[in-house]
Amino acid sequence: LMVWEHQRACAGQQAVTSGAAGDGPALVAGAGRAAAAAACAVAGGRWSERCGPGARMKQNGAINPINVDADSRGQGGAAEPAPPPAAAAAAAPSPAVGWSLRHKCAAYMLALRPWSFSASLTPVALGTALAYKNLGELDVPICLLAALAVLAVHGAGNLVNTYYDFSRGIDHKKSDDRTLVDRILEPQDVVRFGAFLYTLGCLCASSLYYLCKLKLEHLALIFFGGLSSSFLYTGGIGFKYFALGDIIILITFGPLAVMFAYAVQVGYLAISPLLYAIPLALNTEAILHSNNTRDMESDKQAGIVTFAIIIGPTLSYIVYNLLIFIPYIIFSILATHYTISLTLPLLTVPLAFSLERQFRSQHYAKIPQKTAKLNFLLGLFYVFGILLAPPGTLPN
């Protein structure tokens, strides 16, 4: 606006100096000078008698040069041709494309809920550690493929949960997962990404069939059992909406995942991995139970039924304590009768008591994420305890 007013002032002075002789030019000169001075005053500058190329305008105590010559060529000279739009676009790099790609990747990562991945990675690590103690060797490619397969199925299950919760009107502006509510992603994006992850998991399982010695029917039973559970938790039948989701999670992210990682390493099925998975499965279920306890009101309004809604807040608090503290009792018994290395998970007891206090005060905001952190640390120390156990000291 200041530059435009300054150009008007220059145009006014040009009218003064280019007028013809006579009384008319004198009157025009006076009017032109007055208009120019008024225009410069409105612009916040100081009108100068020399108002031409290289003129300066004083604004806020600073002298700023203004190139009026290039702007006023329309009055006297030929204007330079503007560059073509295509050339201008090529010359000026647009950061919007890169920003949009980063924004899209961040949105996909947010939809996956990566804070919950400890529930799938720690069972794989536990099953692999048990196989290593049994065989005395570790097949790294099989271990990585098993972890990727379980992680892909888990991520796809999270996307299915996001899609169906949004479709049923359960997610809202105050929900923890607002990927579709805030239009961060479109529903078709979530569907495509979920299909891609399920396909990736199947490719990993197919590769495992050629690398490991496990029978095809056993591999298919375990893998597709876990894949079906991750989908049916909210998709299809929707076990979550009929208070059966806790059972699905307890089985899938506990014994099933541990058995899968163990079997692809040793080449056969066994009972012992299922028993070792119990402490970790209980702690993993605590993540889901804390999430459902936090969402009790919104779930009631949406017309769905969860185990937390059935038993109420008081019993939910008791169940949560049982889920996070029973594993410590099991570890204490194992450490007393077998090997002292299984006391390592007890290092996470202070964090468990901190979560108990937060749950008791009904501050549910970040409890699922903090319980997932406890699950990761507990599983990590559990795996270290298995690996550090002297040969022959672990229960068969």
Side-chain angles (χ1 to χ4, degrees), residues 203-263:
L203 290 175
C204 292
S206 301
S207 302
L208 285 171
Y209 171 67
Y210 290 100
L211 292 177
C212 71
K213 300 177 181 179
L214 186 64
K215 292 181 179 181
L216 176 60
E217 55 270 23
H218 293 164
L219 178 64
L221 176 66
I222 300 174
F223 177 76
F224 287 106
L227 188 149
S228 302
S229 298
S230 73
F231 179 81
L232 295 176
Y233 175 69
T234 46
I237 299 175
F239 289 109
K240 169 187 174 180
Y241 308 121
F242 302 102
L244 297 175
D246 296 78
I247 298 176
I248 296 296
I249 296 301
L250 193 65
I251 296 174
T252 304
F253 294 103
L256 202 61
V258 175
M259 174 62 78
F260 176 72
Y262 178 85

Side-chain angles (χ1 to χ4, degrees), residues 237-379:
I237 299 175
F239 289 109
K240 169 187 174 180
Y241 308 121
F242 302 102
L244 297 175
D246 296 78
I247 298 176
I248 296 296
I249 296 301
L250 193 65
I251 296 174
T252 304
F253 294 103
L256 202 61
V258 175
M259 174 62 78
F260 176 72
Y262 178 85
V264 295
Q265 288 285 341
V266 301
Y268 56 86
L269 302 180
I271 300 297
S272 59
L274 302 179
L275 302 178
Y276 278 99
I278 292 176
L280 199 57
L282 293 174
N283 193 267
T284 303
E285 166 59 20
I287 303 176
L288 177 64
H289 184 69
S290 62
N291 183 81
N292 290 341
T293 304
R294 182 198 61 190
D295 296 339
M296 276 196 297
E297 295 301 324
S298 59
D299 289 345
K300 285 180 182 178
Q301 295 175 3
I304 68 175
V305 179
T306 62
F307 181 64
I309 292 177
I310 293 176
I311 64 178
T314 303
L315 288 178
S316 292
Y317 165 71
I318 296 174
V319 170
Y320 182 77
N321 286 335
L322 293 174
L323 291 173
I324 63 173
F325 286 113
I326 286 179
Y328 295 119
I329 299 175
I330 297 175
F331 291 136
S332 300
I333 296 173
L334 292 176
T336 303
H337 290 82
Y338 295 99
T339 172
I340 195 65
S341 63
L342 290 179
T343 58
L344 283 176
L346 300 180
L347 295 174
T348 60
V349 169
L351 180 57
F353 275 108
S354 174
L355 290 173
E356 181 273 330
R357 289 192 297 270
Q358 185 175 350
F359 202 101
R360 177 162 30 97
S361 60
Q362 298 186 358
H363 294 156
Y364 302 129
K366 293 295 181 180
I367 279 191
Q369 290 87 339
K370 293 180 179 179
T371 308
K373 179 181 178 181
L374 172 66
N375 178 260
F376 172 73
L377 294 175
L378 182 81

Side-chain angles (χ1 to χ4, degrees), residues 86-101:
S94 175
V97 176
W99 182 88
S100 177
L101 181 60

